[in-house]
Amino acid sequence: MVDTTSPTNEQVTEAWVYLLGRYLVMRQEGIDLAEDGVGYNVLKHNPAVVVGSSAASAPTFVNPNLDVVYSEAWIAVDEHTPSILEIPVVPAGRYYTAQIVDEWAEITHNINDRNFPDHPNGRYAICLAGSSPEIPEGCYRVDIPSPKAELLTRVQIGDDVDTAVQLQHGFKLSSTGSPAVSTPIEIPAFDNAHLPGAWMFTEPYLSAALTPVDACGRADELQPIVRRISAFLRDDPDRAADLDQQIHSAAVPAFMDFVVHFGNVTNGWSSTAAYPKFGDDYWFRATANFGGIWWNSSREAVYELLHVDANGAPTTGDHVYRMRFAPDALPDAVVDAFWSLTVYGKPDYMLVPNSAGRFTVGSGRPLETDADGATTLTFAPELPAGTPESNWLPTPAGKPFTADLRLYLPRDAVRTGAWTPPPLAPIG
């Protein structure tokens, strides 16, 4: 007999955070597949977003990276039908990867010259784990745990946009047939400012959420709690209002507190250095899917995420801030690939529209140095007098913002926390 006693705040919080990570992926799948011309096994090549571009040209997922040209697709396979991925030859020294994540957004593969040194390019057969399909000759097999996965390819733009775009279009995806794939269920609309409530525990949404295999080692512990809460609601649907109250008074505040305190927080920045995978940390999984879906492994990139200024206050477009890197302490010194620093609105984690079309600074974008050799970046809604435009990051006037410092192929100083970004100091 199923236990239908009233769940505690702790049970509701753990179950809600666990499910949130999955529903955020389901939300993105719905957004992606609603686009004209987009379907399973169709690779969409996103345009390069360079200085002067409109924020609307960026990818539709949260926290997009502007150092690379992205291509993205939803992979669909079945036991008889693999998908075929083609990766072009990318010249040495230009960063690239073909990242595949499962339906919970756990990384299953990063296909590149570091992880696949004997097969860094060519054709790959993406197969359902445990299946025995016919694989075209010359394809290297890689498995995914359930019938769907997300593919995200990245090619570094560097100082040659045209070559990056040409390489981007060398990535191709196709299917060997017509795989049987379930149409994504339409879930109630929600956004990052209005997170879902009790409906998460109701059918048909819950079954759709829990169908894909979950690599989290605590899934067997958490899913029974989820199902008990679902049974509690099913036993008396009038309980939904009370469960909503529990979610929004206990689960949501606990989650939002975690979002700004996960990992090692230094100078107002949280680091993902400790996360090569989500593993059993479903709280971090939900956080990554909330603020940076299609997050990548810390072996590929470490993300430093800004939460507060040097005084511990939330960062907003009401103030001008300066961030000062000591001489020879720019991130160039701690990466083997490249770095960037990008401003986003909060809580949507999307680019901040501005008339200058400026969204990011970093490798390949020359910065002016101070007289003492230091480098000062300025965060402000408008370019302050005397500030080099190259060192300016526009912020949303009167609104909260965050920033993401990406460190691609980080060195040990980043991984160990010996190097951390400086704080944002409010001016005036």
Side-chain angles (χ1 to χ4, degrees), residues 372-411:
D372 64 355
T375 302
T376 300
L377 304 179
T378 299
F379 296 69
E382 302 292 338
L383 179 65
T387 298
E389 187 171 7
S390 62
N391 295 38
W392 170 50
L393 281 165
T395 59
K399 297 180 181 179
F401 72 88
T402 184
D404 188 347
L405 174 61
R406 292 177 170 87
L407 303 162
Y408 269 80
L409 303 188
R411 296 179 183 171

Side-chain angles (χ1 to χ4, degrees), residues 233-254:
L233 271 186
R234 190 169 57 251
D235 189 56
D236 183 355
D238 289 340
R239 293 167 173 168
D242 288 339
L243 182 58
D244 259 329
Q245 174 63 26
Q246 276 186 286
I247 288 169
H248 291 289
S249 65
V252 173

Side-chain angles (χ1 to χ4, degrees), residues 310 320-324 376-379 384-387 422-428:
V320 174
Y321 301 89
R322 296 222 167 92
M323 178 180 180
R324 189 175 188 273
T376 300
L377 304 179
T378 299
F379 296 69
T387 298
L424 266 64
I427 305 302

Side-chain angles (χ1 to χ4, degrees), residues 112-183:
N112 52 45
D113 51 355
R114 295 171 302 284
N115 298 324
F116 288 71
D118 297 328
H119 201 99
N121 51 66
R123 302 177 77 213
Y124 303 78
I126 303 170
C127 303
L128 181 63
S131 67
S132 301
E134 184 176 341
I135 295 176
E137 186 176 354
C139 289
Y140 186 96
R141 176 170 177 158
V142 294
D143 285 356
I144 57 176
S146 60
K148 298 179 190 178
E150 167 73 5
L151 169 68
L152 197 70
T153 71
R154 296 173 173 91
V155 178
Q156 182 185 0
I157 293 174
D159 57 3
D160 186 348
V161 177
D162 291 341
T163 297
V165 171
Q166 182 180 4
L167 289 167
Q168 173 196 28
H169 285 259
F171 288 79
K172 302 181 186 303
L173 182 69
S174 60
S175 177
T176 61
S178 300
V181 60
S182 60
T183 302

Side-chain angles (χ1 to χ4, degrees), residues 176-261:
T176 61
S178 300
V181 60
S182 60
T183 302
I185 188 169
E186 184 176 345
I187 59 175
F190 69 93
D191 59 32
N192 282 14
H194 306 88
L195 291 171
W199 66 259
M200 295 169 67
F201 296 90
T202 64
E203 298 297 348
Y205 315 118
L206 184 61
S207 289
L210 296 182
T211 294
V213 175
D214 183 7
C216 175
R218 297 190 62 188
D220 289 345
E221 166 194 344
L222 291 159
Q223 290 195 11
I225 299 173
V226 167
R227 295 189 187 283
R228 282 202 300 272
I229 295 172
S230 178
F232 172 75
L233 271 186
R234 190 169 57 251
D235 189 56
D236 183 355
D238 289 340
R239 293 167 173 168
D242 288 339
L243 182 58
D244 259 329
Q245 174 63 26
Q246 276 186 286
I247 288 169
H248 291 289
S249 65
V252 173
F255 173 68
M256 297 307 297
D257 183 70
F258 183 88
V259 167
V260 299
H261 291 108

Side-chain angles (χ1 to χ4, degrees), residues 4-86:
T4 58
T5 57
S6 180
T8 66
N9 283 348
E10 181 181 3
Q11 289 172 328
V12 168
T13 297
E14 296 296 324
W16 182 86
V17 171
Y18 175 74
L19 283 178
L20 178 65
R22 172 73 179 118
Y23 278 111
L24 288 163
V25 175
M26 295 169 70
R27 177 181 71 172
Q28 191 63 47
E29 183 182 8
I31 291 170
D32 293 344
L33 295 173
E35 291 189 43
D36 290 340
V38 175
Y40 293 108
N41 299 314
V42 174
L43 191 59
K44 181 182 76 168
H45 299 298
N46 291 319
V49 183
V50 296
V51 173
S53 298
S54 164
S57 65
T60 58
F61 50 82
V62 295
N63 208 1
N65 177 1
L66 309 187
D67 311 295
V68 299
V69 277
Y70 283 110
S71 298
E72 54 180 311
W74 280 92
I75 297 166
V77 301
D78 63 24
E79 60 181 0
H80 304 295
T81 317
S83 296
I84 306 301
L85 169 65
E86 297 182 43

